[in-house]
Amino acid sequence: PVAWQDIMPTVLDAAGIDIPDACTGKSLVPIITGEKSSVRDILHGEHAKCYEGDFANHFLTDGNMKYIWFSESGREQLFDLSSDPNELHNLASNTNNDGQLASWRAHLVDVLDKRPEGFVEKGKLKAGRAHEAVMPGYDPDNYFDFM
């Protein structure tokens, strides 16, 4: 799994420039050169509230499965990307997947545990926490004024 955050470290690495420690992305040069087949096991992504709170979410994917947790409502989705690349069949509602859901949920707890929003409380995901837009000055009610 790769993401937009991998562009900067890839360009820096290809140019022979040190990648800052604060960079959350990974250089894809090892994949491009055939040195490695991947740069991470699991990718975390998020979408902050910018249209409506219901859409704020965090997701994890290993390239085969994708787990999504909606931070405002606590709703979950689980997709098998191998057989359902368009994410049309949510497996989270099937109790046969409870073990798999628990595993993904635990991994997301690890990822979010130290976040200031308080997405994790007593080792469990805590829904209803504010998940504001990341861009400073962004106001969803005045989007065009921001631009």
Side-chain angles (χ1 to χ4, degrees):
V2 299
W4 289 107
Q5 68 213 45
D6 300 328
I7 294 173
M8 183 183 85
T10 301
V11 171
L12 292 175
D13 191 15
I17 300 170
D18 290 339
I19 300 166
D21 291 338
C23 185
T24 60
K26 304 280 188 185
S27 170
L28 304 179
V29 169
I31 294 174
I32 295 166
T33 61
E35 226 176 290
K36 292 183 175 180
S37 61
S38 69
V39 293
R40 65 174 58 86
D41 294 328
I42 296 177
L43 173 71
H44 166 251
E46 63 186 280
H47 190 287
K49 176 178 87 175
C50 66
Y51 308 115
E52 292 183 31
D54 291 345
F55 296 117
N57 70 77
H58 290 268
F59 73 86
L60 298 173
T61 183
D62 61 5
N64 296 310
M65 297 297 291
K66 183 175 180 182
Y67 169 72
I68 306 168
W69 176 68
F70 292 86
S71 56
E72 295 282 326
S73 66
R75 187 168 51 98
E76 296 175 300
Q77 294 180 332
L78 182 66
F79 299 100
D80 182 341
L81 299 176
S82 302
S83 63
D84 183 19
N86 294 321
E87 301 176 17
L88 300 174
H89 306 285
N90 182 9
L91 304 174
S93 58
N94 184 336
T95 57
N96 292 336
N97 297 309
D98 286 352
Q100 200 170 26
L101 268 173
S103 176
W104 283 104
R105 198 179 294 127
H107 189 75
L108 189 58
V109 164
D110 289 343
V111 170
L112 299 178
D113 190 36
K114 303 293 184 215
R115 291 278 296 259
E117 297 94 336
F119 292 128
V120 176
E121 190 175 279
K122 297 180 182 176
K124 296 188 184 282
L125 293 173
K126 177 73 174 170
R129 301 291 192 207
H131 191 169
E132 300 301 326
V134 177
M135 294 188 310
Y138 174 76
D139 180 354
D141 296 324
N142 296 302
Y143 177 73
F144 292 105
D145 292 341
F146 176 74
M147 299 300 288

